[in-house]
Amino acid sequence: MHKTLILYATFNLLVISKAFPAETIQIDFSEHDSYSIEVAHINIGDTIEWLPKNEGHNVEFLAGPSMNELPAKSEIDAILSVVFTAPGVYLYGCNPHKNMGMLGLIIVGNDFHNLEEVKNIQLPQVAKSVLNRLIKISQSNY
Ligand SMILES: [Cu+2]
């Protein structure tokens, strides 16, 4: 939760200084089958790097504005690095644990144009309630 708040603070700074260089944001696979940052607001051109700090997880994109440009699901316990060039909402999850709610959202360029598509992703009820919580967080003031 602390990391999320720090990221939000960083984002506000980015909005203020327009010529800020592209950033790399690191998200860990963490204990209790979760990602260390569940909702990440980033700028176009920023990189997200997922780090296998806890074993048995990966990243698979479930929805996004440019699905054909996104990598296939990553190997379990592998590092994944993705540069986000298309604005919009991205939903990803961990293969073994996504149905239990190991999900993450990335909002690129504060753009929610494809939010309905993300909301309509088929998921079991537990995961759906996690997704709804993440969407609420993504839309709250930061
Ligand atoms: Cu997992």
Side-chain angles (χ1 to χ4, degrees), residues 22 42-48 61 65-71 82-90 106-109 111 113:
I42 66 171
N43 283 338
I44 296 166
D46 283 351
T47 300
I48 294 203
F61 285 95
S66 56
M67 287 299 280
N68 51 349
E69 290 172 28
L70 292 168
V82 178
V83 181
F84 290 86
T85 53
V89 182
Y90 296 76
I106 301 162
I107 322 304
V108 179
D111 183 320
H113 77 273

Side-chain angles (χ1 to χ4, degrees), residues 57-112:
H57 313 287
N58 74 339
V59 172
E60 175 188 22
F61 285 95
L62 307 173
S66 56
M67 287 299 280
N68 51 349
E69 290 172 28
L70 292 168
K73 67 182 176 196
S74 65
E75 297 294 315
I76 299 284
D77 297 333
I79 292 177
L80 177 66
S81 183
V82 178
V83 181
F84 290 86
T85 53
V89 182
Y90 296 76
L91 171 66
Y92 65 92
C94 165
N95 263 171
H97 305 115
K98 68 182 179 195
N99 288 347
M100 294 146 53
M102 186 168 176
L103 301 169
L105 272 187
I106 301 162
I107 322 304
V108 179
N110 202 28
D111 183 320
F112 290 87

